[in-house]
Structures are given as C-alpha cells and as structure tokens.
Amino acid sequence: MGGTEEKNMKIACQTILWGSRLVDPLDMFQTIYELGFQGVEICQPPSSLPAPSALRAIFEHLDLKFLGFYGGTLPARIEYCREYCPKGVRFKDWNKPYLCINDWDEKACRMALDDGFELALHPHMYYRNHRLETTSEILHTHPELMFLPDTAHLFLGHSDIIEAIKRHENRLSAIHLKDWTPKYGRSFHRYARGFAELGKGIIVLEEVLSTLKAMNYSGWIVVEQDSTERDPTTSCEISRQWLVDHGVAIAKRRRKEGIPELKFKPKEVRPPVKASSLMDTLMHVKDRETRFFWHNVLVEICRFVPCKLASLWEFSRTNGLLALLARYPSDVRPECPFVMDFREVLSGIAVESQGAVHLDPRRRYEARTFAHENLRETFKLSRMISIPVLNTYNINHVEMVINLYPKRKWLRVTDKQLALCAQYVAIAYEAFLEDQCESAASAVSLIATANREVKIFLDGVVRNLEDALNCEAVTIFLVDETEKKLESRATTGLEWDPPVAEAERFYKLGEGLTGRVWQSREPLLSINPGKEERYRRKSYEVTDSGLEASCLIAPLVDLQGSVIGVIRCVNKHAQRTPYEGNIFSERDLAIIDAVEQTMIPHLLVLLTEERRAKRLGRLTHELRAPMAGLRSAVDFVEYEAGEKHFEFDGPYIPDILSWHALANQLLDNVDFFRYRVEGSKPKLEPVLLLDDVFPRTLNPLMPLLRERGFSGSNITIHNDVGEQRLFVDEKQFQQVFFNLLSNAVKFAEVDPENFRVEVTTRKVDDEYQIVFRDWGNGIPQECEELIFEEGFRGPDAEQLNTSGTGIGLWVVAEIIKAHHGTIRVSHNPKPTELTIVLPKKIAEPWTA
Amino acid sequence: MALIMLIDDEKEAMKYYIKALELSEFDFIRFGGPDEVMDYVVDKNKPKPDLVVLDLIMPPGKRYKGKAECAAGTRTGYLLYEELRKPYSKVPFIVLTNLKNAKNDFQKIAPHVQVYLKNDVPPFDLIRFIHEILWDPGK
C-alpha cells in the first residue's frame, strides 16, 4: 500500500482517552505530537482545559491542528474558541475547529452557524441519531450540517459504515475510527466499556480504510477510544501501529523542546468532610441488600448536605423516564409521582447539563416544572440541587439523578465536590450492576452445561430472568427457520387471545409490539404498553396481579447483528414499597444483554442440533415409505408363491423380512434424535414385556445372528413377574431390547459356541428389574458409565472394526430415563450384566 | 358387499394394498385427496362406505390450500378426518400412515380409531383387520 492516497489522508487523535478531566494536558499533547498525529479533536469541556491562549501557544509550537471540539455545551465551546482565535485574525475568517453535535438544537446550532462554525453531526448510541437512516434524515433536513461518522457507533446501531461514508461523502468533517469488542455487551450502561484500540475489536476497519483509499479520501481520520484499561499512551501507540501496519503513514517525531510553560493546575477536588461514611456505604454495595442500599446512599449524602428531602432517580435513555429508586426520609408524605418524563420535569435539566444544577422548584424552566407540587407546598421547598450521575465509561450518558432539597441557604460543599460524590455513586452503581449481570449470566452458563435441549434450556433461562429482573412473567420467542415467524419457545405463562387460531400463534415481522421490536432491533421499555403504537395484544403473559403495568421487550441479536428472537418481560415487582418506581429500566436491559451474551452461543448450537435432528427425522420418514412398499411387495410374493404352489430354494422371504425389520429398527434409532428434540413423551400401554415385546426383536436380529453364525436359541428369557403387565411404551421397549441384543451380538466372542444371552424380568422390593446378561468380550471398566453417552464407542469397537454409530445404548438410557428408570452395569465381565430398574408405578397407569 | 373407501395420494405405495382389496371380498373406491373425497361425500346419490382407510400426509388440494398447517401436507389427513367424522359418524376409520406420531395424536382426538403404520401392516394384514372390524367388532 502506498501512493498518493495515504499521503493525503490526515490523522488526528481524540483526547477523551486521557479522561474527562485533564491532569497533565501538556504531556498529553506532547505524546500526541510524538506519536505522529497531525491534529487534535478535543473532547474535554472548556472548563477542564488550559486557558485558550495557553492552548493556542502549545498547538502553534507543536504545529498541531485544532481540528475539532466535542466536549461541553455549544455556547461554552463557542466562547472558548472566541478567546482561542489567533491574534490578528478575524474571528469570521479564522479556520475554526468543527463542533461536534449529537442532535440538532435550533437555538444553539443557529448561534454556532451564525458565528461561522462547521457543525458536525456525530451518530451516537442511545441518541436519536444512532441509526444511519435517522442521521440521514437530520442531514437532509439541515443541509448546513456536516457529518462526522463514527465506525463503532454506526456498527453498534447496525448501520453499514461504508454506506454511511459513501452516502454523505461530500459532507464529511472527519471520520472517527473506533473499534469495539462485544465483551461487555450492547446495553446502555456497559457498551462503552467495549471501545477498544484499533484492531482489538470486531469491526472490520480494514474495509473502511480500503474504501477511503479507493475514494481518494483526503480528509481527516480521528483515532478515538473512550476509555482504556491500559495507560493512554500505550493505547494510542497500539492504534497508531495498527494504522501503520495497514499502510497509513504516520511518522513518529522526537519530543519538541522549548514548549511554552503551561500554568495549568487542575484543582484537586476533595470529597466533602463527612463523606467518609458515604464512601464506606458505596464500597460495600455488593454486600448490601438492594432494597436498602440506595436509601442508605441518600442518608449518607444528607450528612454533609442537610436536606428537608432527597431523592434518587434512575434514568432510562430508551424511554426518557426517571424512576424513583429511593427517597429520604423514606416515609415522606404526601405521595408523589414515582415515574417522570425527563422532558417535563426540572430533574431533566440535570440530565442535559452533565453537571450539578441549582433550581427553584417554584419556577418554570421553559417546558419544565417541578413534578411534586404537594411536596413543595408541604415542605416549603424553595431550593433544589439536581446532580446527574454519569456513566464512568461514557460521560455522555446519565445513569441517575440525585435531587437534594437543602435545609440551609449556604452549603459547605461545592458543586465540584457534589460532582465527585456523584462519580463515586456511579462507580458503585456500576459495580452493583456488574454484579447483577454476572450473576444472571453465570446462572445461564450453569443451565447451559446441564441441558442439551432447546426447550429445557430456554425454560431455565426464562425462570432465571424472572428472578434476575424481579418481574412477574417472561417469554422467549425465536425466529423460525423460514425467518417469517416469531414463535414462543419458552414462557412462564403465555396465553394467546382466543380468536387467534392455533396455527396463527406466532408474530410476523412488525406485528404488534413484539414484532415491532423484531423489526426495529430496538428494545422497548413501556410503562403502559396498551398505549403504544402497534399494540395488539395478540398474546399476553398470565400474571398473579392480572395487570399489564409495564413491559420490557428486547431483541435477541447474534454477533452478526441478526435478530434470532425476542425476550418479553412484564410487570416489574416493586422493590421495597409498592409506591417506588417499579418499572423496567436500562439496568434491566443491561442484565438481559449480559444473559443474551452467554445464552446466544449455546442457543445457536442447540438450535443447529435441533434442526439437524428434525432433518434426520424427515429423512427417516422418507425412507419409511419405500420400506413399506418393499414390505407390501414381499407380502404379495409370499401370497402368489402360495397360490401357485411355488417353492423357493432358499429362505428368501424370511431373509427379506428380517432385513426389512432390521432396517426399520435402525431407522427407529435415528428417529430418536427428532423424538428427543420434539420433547415427545412415551405412549404408555399395559404390556407383557417378555411375552409381547421381546419376541418382536428377534426377527430384526436375525441378519446379525446369521452374520456371526450364532443361533437364536442361545437367547433365553426368564419371566419372574408372571402376568404382570407394565405400562410402558411398547415400541420404545422393543428398541431397548433390540439395541441391547444387537450389542451383545456385535461384541460376542468369535466362537458361536460361546454366544449366550439371558434376559430376566423380576420384581425386587417393589421395583421392576430387567437384567440383561451376555457372555461376550465385556466392557472396559473405565467405560462402564461412558457407554451410555451419545456417540461413545469403546476401544474394542474401534479395534474389532464393528459396525455401529455409538447411539444404541444412549437411546436405551434415554428411553429408560423417560420411563423414570435407571440402567447400569451391574456385573462385568462374564457375564456382562446390565440391570434396568423401573419404578413400581409402572405397574399402574401413570403419566410420563 | 362391504364398501371400503381408501384415501391415499400415493398410487405406487398403495399398489399392493389395492391388489389385496381386489382379491378380497370387499368393494372399494379410492381417492387421492380431500377435494375428490368431499365431492363424493356431498353427493347424496353416492353410497356411504362401510369403512374408511385414511392416509394422513397428502397434498392439501384446493380445499385446504392456504391453511398454514397444511403447507407441507402433514395435516391434510387430520383435517379430512375432522370433516368426515360428521357425515360418517357411524363409519369405522382405520388410519394407515408412515407418521409415527399418529397413534399419539389419535389417542387424544379419537381413541376408537385404529392407527397402523404401513411398515408394520402389510396388505393382507390390513384385509384381516378390516374383516375383524366389520365382522368381529367385539374383537
């Protein structure tokens, strides 16, 4: 790779890697310079930066381009830039850095555009524009905007990165080159932890680079990584190296001497004096019962900010709702709303500001008012401090809001100290969430190791989710093979609306809320599903409460981004008291995401096995038709030979019939795979095992006996249960006997004189036993339990080159298990004795 | 002479069953699918059969076309049974099929119906069973 294309592409570095608050900006810029980057996109808010003039001096000395500005509000950034503007240059004429925005805001954006700034629309997860289609709509509506595609956010939003670049190639401010690993899932709270150095994730960035080269792209590429577990310099170096390895020329440079001194000293923010017990509470988040934990956090905050009232709200970006987590005092009266729309209430201002805001609950702030009038009147509230708790890995995301209503006018704590406490709360919240996610995911792993069938696995998962999310009901739907239907596969209690015929009990793409989630690939959190667009109530979960108070519907997405199913949860239980905000939140989505990450690989394997078993079943079904034709034809050969008094020279008819019976018996074994995945139960009928069932196994055995030169008379039966009929599946027990006999024949000694099999039925202590003895080669001791595993073939089988697939004894064991019995090797060798024990209940009608 | 109605779309597979019926004392009529059967049933001039031998997997025909459960033909026989049991409420049915689950299914919907797998019941055995049902119903 070489040529003029790479030389025209310019590479910049984004500063978020060094944290939201800079400690040593000079060192950071020096590092960026030394690694060969030509420009810088600044992500920290202006308040965290050195003075504009100082920054300008550094950039001029290092010849770094101030490419873009991301952090802080638009007005704050514009103000900073005004002061930054080089002396002697008119602000209007100055080649300004572009300003990144996540969405259009009429007032702020117009101000920036009027000042001659370039506004670059950046798609961002969990913002309105995270999908390419929405971004394109905004760009179409506002032709004055430029586009700043981000490879990771586009990938996470299931958008085509190449398509995004090509579609808007004439409006690119720059391109954020970012990688992502699915290690932490896609949920709101955790996805940002997955941003990784270039080449360390799953995004095919090579394709992006080659597309840019093919386009002769001569603009800027910005290397970005939101956070790192390494030190920032190392992460930057790794990303830089990836670019070099892929043909992008970035030459390292020597540290430049004579850099202007920077009088920048970030103020160290100390926690408030009485915050030590808050720290203690937060540190022990995992040890505390959740119901009391958040309340205790508020109690501790109120030690250093004495309050009349305090409340903690959990914010969900997906539906814009704030749900009450805790309040102080806990028994405050009168009652107040426990779920609020952030767009309508004062707390929403904190959600948008990213810093503590001081508000007057008596005032109206544009469209927002104080939500609890009765509380305001009762407690004479005149002051409110609303503090957002920001996601540690992505400061664009607000996770919670703390509302304080101080008793006194003057506080001994600063906003920065409050922000620091909020940061500690965020860390604790993430530890708490991490714990919940890991716990739910581990439970799924355990279920997966114990179960090899889709139905049983998913039954375990729904019960696990019901518990983990503390809700009333859960259903898992899966997309069928045709990809046209979404069918219920496991549920804690699902009903279909009566007019819906049995054959129509599935969702089509886009049908109802469930089909809508399948189509959009976006989760839905709703507190009133009946009012949602496309609500249909085609099916519903049966709950003890009888309510449809809230629901969470999330898509099941595999690594390729395809939706393979949908999880639906209803009615979250109240946490501590009935009147707390018991609605589904982003936290529940994070838990589901963690569960999905664990369950999907297992599920895909089980589904593949299930489909394979069904295909095998269809194959055996197809084979049975010609088998039946063969049988019919032989019937007529016998008939006509009899009619015409014709005698054959050999036992052709009996031979054909015995081969036919053997083939059918072997097909029954293959059919067992499908039988198992369909969850079929034994069909119980009263039979005499040795009198009725056993004789039918001898005909199919004949070809095998003839092959070895054995006589069927060496197979003897002893019936010690007399005329006792047992309620078993006759056909399945025929399979049991046949499989055991065929094994005995296969592994018998060579000398026909030594071939001997005895089958005994007896009753021992109320249980019924079938004891199967043969005098063959025996079973290696270490294989005595393994022989009942699917596909296992002992060393003898390989050595003697005997035919077989290793499923015979597995089928036997599964059939016995379905009859609630056991089978084991009770003596070995000579004879090799297998004992089947069936419970006493099979002597009476029972339900499998 | 007793009239047997044979409903099965597979001519070749049923060849020997038909031959056995020809050799037997029974009259019989054969239909390949639900459309022909129901045309016969609604014709009041046509005699009622004394026994019906019914296959389960058949093409849906026009009658059941579009029904989701009939798409692969796996439910045609079941739907046909539901339609026939009314006009032929007193007529015994034998289900003759390759579908292994059929016994379980009919145990739930019509336990009195005899279900046989073709592989287990060659042609002359079928004749014998028909004989038993018609002439020795207590057996």
Side-chain angles (χ1 to χ4, degrees):
Chain A
M1 294 182 212
T4 52
E5 292 87 354
E6 304 97 70
K7 286 179 188 166
N8 288 340
M9 225 185 286
K10 298 178 279 282
I11 315 296
C13 183
Q14 224 240 34
T15 59
I16 187 62
L17 192 55
W18 279 265
S20 53
R21 295 190 191 287
L22 294 175
V23 174
D24 188 348
L26 194 57
D27 184 65
M28 176 183 74
F29 292 123
Q30 286 271 31
T31 302
I32 291 173
Y33 169 80
E34 283 168 41
L35 288 174
F37 293 100
Q38 297 150 289
V40 178
E41 183 185 289
I42 294 182
C43 197
Q44 288 74 12
S47 55
S48 302
L49 297 174
S53 55
L55 185 70
R56 187 181 67 241
I58 296 166
F59 277 14
E60 281 171 359
H61 179 79
L62 295 173
D63 196 23
L64 283 173
K65 165 102 177 131
F66 184 4
L67 178 66
F69 207 166
Y70 202 140
T73 62
L74 266 180
R77 282 183 271 165
I78 293 169
E79 192 50 44
Y80 189 90
C81 287
R82 281 190 184 283
E83 292 181 40
Y84 180 101
C85 181
K87 285 190 170 43
V89 176
R90 278 172 55 186
F91 186 69
K92 242 187 164 171
D93 300 329
W94 174 45
N95 189 7
K96 307 171 186 60
Y98 60 73
L99 304 180
C100 310
I101 57 169
N102 293 331
D103 204 346
W104 175 263
D105 177 283
E106 181 65 30
K107 191 174 166 187
C109 290
R110 281 280 159 236
M111 184 169 69
L113 289 168
D114 288 345
D115 270 344
F117 280 97
E118 182 178 294
L119 290 181
L121 182 65
H122 175 281
H124 202 293
M125 273 304 281
Y126 296 103
Y127 277 80
R128 186 169 70 106
N129 70 340
H130 74 272
R131 287 280 178 84
L132 174 59
E133 298 317 315
T134 325
T135 303
S136 295
E137 248 177 66
I138 299 173
L139 289 171
H140 178 73
T141 309
H142 302 282
E144 59 272 56
L145 285 180
M146 298 294 279
F147 182 37
L148 180 58
D150 182 298
T151 54
H153 283 287
L154 284 167
F155 176 83
L156 282 161
H158 306 298
S159 300
D160 187 324
I161 302 167
I162 310 293
E163 167 66 24
I165 292 171
K166 282 184 177 172
R167 197 189 282 188
H168 303 289
E169 66 174 295
N170 297 324
R171 293 168 75 170
L172 297 173
S173 290
I175 295 167
H176 275 187
L177 208 62
K178 194 148 96 183
D179 213 339
W180 181 78
T181 159
K183 198 171 155 189
Y184 301 99
R186 291 170 181 263
S187 70
F188 173 83
H189 292 294
R190 300 168 89 219
Y191 81 92
R193 290 182 72 180
F195 292 132
E197 294 84 359
L198 300 185
K200 297 290 184 193
I202 62 171
I203 301 178
V204 188
L205 295 171
E206 294 84 345
E207 269 181 33
V208 176
L209 262 191
S210 38
T211 302
L212 293 175
K213 285 170 187 170
M215 283 163 58
N216 286 329
Y217 178 70
S218 59
W220 286 89
I221 287 181
V222 180
V223 173
E224 191 199 354
Q225 186 182 344
D226 291 49
S227 63
T228 179
E229 285 161 6
R230 305 176 221 267
D231 72 274
T233 305
T234 307
S235 288
C236 225
E237 168 70 72
I238 293 170
S239 292
R240 179 199 160 274
Q241 190 57 49
W242 184 89
L243 285 167
V244 167
D245 291 344
H246 287 80
V248 179
I250 323 175
K252 277 189 175 176
R253 297 180 273 214
R254 279 216 182 131
R255 184 159 277 236
K256 223 171 184 182
E257 302 301 330
I259 192 159
E261 199 187 312
L262 183 63
K263 288 179 186 152
F264 174 83
K265 198 178 173 187
K267 282 186 190 153
E268 192 189 325
V269 180
R270 291 175 189 275
V273 170
K274 289 182 184 171
S276 56
S277 55
L278 171 65
M279 306 305 141
D280 186 61
T281 301
L282 292 173
M283 273 170 62
H284 293 98
V285 60
K286 290 184 192 181
D287 302 336
R288 299 290 156 87
E289 199 178 336
T290 314
R291 296 186 306 153
F292 301 109
F293 173 73
W294 298 115
H295 171 75
N296 289 345
V297 166
L298 283 179
V299 166
E300 298 306 334
I301 291 176
C302 291
R303 283 191 205 283
F304 49 90
V305 182
C307 290
K308 297 178 189 181
L309 291 174
S311 58
L312 181 63
W313 300 80
E314 195 170 24
F315 177 60
S316 284
R317 172 64 70 179
T318 303
N319 55 11
L321 293 181
L322 288 156
L324 184 66
L325 266 184
R327 57 189 186 178
Y328 171 80
S330 55
D331 58 349
V332 72
R333 293 286 184 273
E335 305 293 343
C336 55
F338 306 106
V339 175
M340 314 188 291
D341 188 323
F342 93 105
R343 289 161 283 244
E344 295 168 4
V345 297
L346 297 191
S347 308
I349 298 174
V351 170
E352 288 175 336
S353 73
Q354 296 191 339
V357 286
H358 295 254
L359 303 161
D360 183 348
R362 297 166 298 188
R363 267 190 59 194
R364 189 184 180 87
Y365 292 80
E366 291 182 346
R368 293 185 164 110
T369 54
F370 186 65
H372 316 296
E373 271 187 42
N374 45 6
L375 285 178
R376 185 185 60 204
E377 298 306 318
T378 306
F379 291 92
K380 311 251 183 300
L381 302 176
S382 59
R383 192 163 170 221
M384 172 182 173
I385 308 174
S386 199
I387 310 150
V389 175
L390 305 177
N391 183 290
T392 309
Y393 299 94
N394 193 321
I395 57 169
N396 288 307
H397 291 321
V398 173
E399 294 181 325
M400 292 189 283
V401 173
I402 305 170
N403 286 341
L404 305 175
Y405 304 90
K407 281 180 182 169
R408 298 179 202 126
K409 195 174 176 186
W410 303 109
L411 300 180
R412 288 185 185 176
V413 292
T414 64
D415 282 358
K416 287 197 172 161
Q417 285 179 312
L418 288 175
L420 185 65
C421 292
Q423 213 176 324
Y424 295 147
V425 172
I427 293 169
Y429 181 77
E430 275 145 27
F432 162 67
L433 178 62
E434 207 57 42
D435 193 48
Q436 289 197 308
C437 291
E438 269 179 35
S439 166
S442 301
V444 169
S445 276
L446 280 172
I447 297 164
T449 51
N451 290 291
R452 295 194 55 188
E453 289 167 40
V454 173
K455 173 96 178 80
I456 300 176
F457 173 59
L458 291 180
D459 280 346
V461 173
V462 294
R463 281 194 300 274
N464 173 41
L465 278 175
E466 211 185 25
D467 199 43
L469 303 184
N470 195 23
C471 64
E472 284 205 73
V474 177
T475 302
I476 294 180
F477 298 85
L478 293 183
V479 178
D480 78 330
E481 279 185 282
T482 66
E483 296 184 1
K484 289 182 181 158
K485 293 188 209 173
L486 191 63
E487 298 170 314
S488 163
R489 292 299 300 266
T491 180
T492 53
L494 181 75
E495 296 284 344
W496 293 87
D497 211 30
V500 177
E502 186 145 353
E504 301 292 324
R505 289 182 182 179
F506 58 88
Y507 285 93
K508 292 183 226 164
L509 191 69
E511 183 185 19
L513 297 183
T514 309
R516 175 181 133 188
V517 167
W518 174 18
Q519 184 176 45
S520 68
R521 292 190 286 193
E522 300 285 352
L524 171 73
L525 295 175
S526 177
I527 57 170
N528 197 339
K531 294 219 159 104
E532 297 285 343
E533 195 190 320
R534 291 204 231 172
Y535 176 73
R536 235 206 84 176
R537 208 173 188 259
K538 188 173 182 181
S539 71
Y540 55 93
E541 279 72 13
V542 176
T543 58
D544 289 339
S545 66
L547 297 174
E548 270 188 348
S550 61
C551 78
L552 176 160
I553 310 177
L556 265 173
V557 182
D558 66 14
L559 260 189
Q560 281 71 43
S562 304
V563 176
I564 63 168
V566 169
I567 297 179
R568 191 164 84 187
C569 313
V570 299
N571 288 8
K572 194 156 173 70
H573 289 300
Q575 294 300 313
R576 186 159 66 100
T577 57
Y579 45 81
E580 281 175 356
N582 51 330
I583 61 170
F584 291 108
S585 68
E586 298 285 3
R587 178 159 39 105
D588 298 303
L589 284 176
I591 294 170
I592 285 199
D593 191 73
V595 164
E596 281 189 22
Q597 281 216 289
T598 309
M599 100 186 231
I600 284 175
H602 293 295
L603 181 61
L604 290 176
V605 168
L606 293 180
L607 284 173
T608 303
E609 279 186 16
E610 185 183 74
R611 284 170 192 157
R612 191 172 291 142
K614 284 184 177 167
R615 277 199 291 276
L616 270 177
R618 287 195 282 273
L619 183 62
T620 58
H621 179 74
E622 274 192 48
L623 287 169
R624 294 212 194 260
M627 297 289 291
L630 183 71
R631 181 73 182 82
S632 301
V634 167
D635 212 30
F636 262 84
V637 168
E638 244 184 335
Y639 166 76
E640 283 203 20
E643 288 289 295
K644 291 170 184 171
H645 305 290
F646 177 80
E647 276 189 29
F648 293 103
D649 287 339
Y652 309 125
I653 305 287
D655 277 1
I656 291 170
L657 291 177
S658 64
W659 280 112
H660 174 268
L662 174 61
N664 265 321
Q665 203 66 70
L666 295 174
L667 280 177
D668 281 345
N669 272 348
V670 177
D671 236 354
F672 196 80
F673 285 98
R674 184 181 54 138
Y675 172 88
R676 196 182 58 147
V677 298
E678 286 175 354
S680 300
K681 300 234 187 300
K683 186 178 173 303
L684 305 172
E685 289 167 314
V687 296
L688 294 168
L689 276 181
L690 288 188
D691 292 349
D692 293 341
V693 182
F694 191 82
R696 287 205 287 272
T697 59
L698 295 176
N699 196 24
L701 199 66
M702 292 310 294
L704 303 179
L705 289 171
R706 287 196 296 266
E707 186 69 43
R708 298 291 304 269
F710 296 162
S711 168
S713 59
N714 288 354
I715 301 173
T716 54
I717 58 174
H718 305 278
N719 180 4
D720 293 343
V721 298
E723 294 293 304
Q724 174 66 61
R725 287 182 181 267
L726 302 178
F727 286 77
V728 298
D729 187 317
E730 201 177 329
K731 267 294 218 179
Q732 286 191 347
F733 265 78
Q734 187 177 323
Q735 247 177 301
V736 166
F737 288 135
F738 173 79
N739 286 351
L740 290 171
L741 281 172
S742 74
N743 260 21
V745 171
K746 278 184 210 165
F747 297 106
E749 290 185 359
V750 172
D751 187 350
E753 293 295 315
N754 294 340
F755 174 67
R756 189 175 147 205
V757 174
E758 276 177 17
V759 184
T760 307
T761 51
R762 64 191 184 202
K763 191 172 173 190
V764 176
D765 297 333
D766 277 350
E767 288 175 332
Y768 293 91
Q769 291 186 358
I770 307 168
V771 182
F772 200 92
R773 290 191 188 89
D774 75 78
W775 277 260
N777 294 320
I779 303 165
Q781 211 174 7
E782 65 275 14
C783 299
E784 282 182 8
E785 290 192 19
L786 295 171
I787 54 171
F788 298 111
E789 307 235 335
E790 183 190 333
F792 179 81
R793 299 194 76 216
D796 277 356
E798 302 296 340
Q799 218 169 14
L800 298 171
N801 201 22
T802 49
S803 63
T805 54
I807 64 169
L809 287 180
W810 167 70
V811 170
V812 168
E814 291 288 310
I815 289 172
I816 300 304
K817 193 168 128 188
H819 286 79
H820 298 196
T822 58
I823 179 169
R824 62 182 176 89
V825 177
S826 42
H827 188 279
N828 178 43
K830 294 204 175 15
T832 303
E833 186 180 277
L834 294 173
T835 301
I836 295 169
V837 179
L838 297 167
K840 69 176 180 182
K841 69 180 177 188
I842 65 162
E844 304 289 329
W846 63 286
T847 309
Chain B
M1 239 185 299
L3 177 65
I4 311 299
M5 178 184 279
L6 180 65
I7 308 173
D8 194 309
D9 65 308
E10 290 177 320
K11 262 174 132 174
E12 182 64 20
M14 292 307 288
K15 181 162 79 175
Y16 291 109
Y17 290 94
I18 291 168
K19 234 174 135 69
L21 277 167
E22 283 167 356
L23 289 169
S24 74
E25 72 265 41
F26 301 116
D27 282 335
F28 73 95
I29 41 174
R30 190 191 151 261
F31 298 112
D35 297 341
E36 300 167 42
V37 172
M38 295 317 293
D39 283 345
Y40 180 94
V41 170
V42 301
D43 187 344
K44 289 191 172 31
N45 295 323
K46 296 281 197 298
K48 260 189 196 173
D50 294 291
L51 185 140
V52 177
V53 177
L54 173 66
D55 186 20
L56 292 179
I57 301 182
M58 288 181 280
K62 285 185 197 153
R63 196 167 186 84
Y64 304 136
K65 190 179 170 185
K67 283 189 183 287
E69 65 267 35
C70 260
T74 51
R75 301 292 299 176
T76 307
Y78 291 91
L79 290 174
L80 196 48
Y81 174 76
E82 289 300 325
E83 280 208 271
L84 288 175
R85 69 194 296 185
K86 282 183 196 147
Y88 292 167
S89 56
K90 291 189 175 20
V91 176
F93 278 74
I94 287 177
V95 167
L96 187 66
T97 177
N98 283 323
L99 206 55
K100 279 192 93 178
N101 283 346
K103 262 193 183 170
N104 270 353
D105 294 338
F106 273 85
Q107 188 66 20
K108 291 175 202 160
I109 61 175
H112 56 277
V113 170
Q114 298 290 336
V115 179
Y116 297 113
L117 299 179
K118 286 176 186 170
N119 259 304
D120 294 340
V121 175
F124 289 106
D125 281 1
L126 177 67
I127 302 302
R128 187 164 50 82
F129 292 149
I130 293 174
H131 201 273
E132 278 170 12
I133 289 171
L134 288 180
W135 312 132
D136 292 312
K139 198 167 179 178

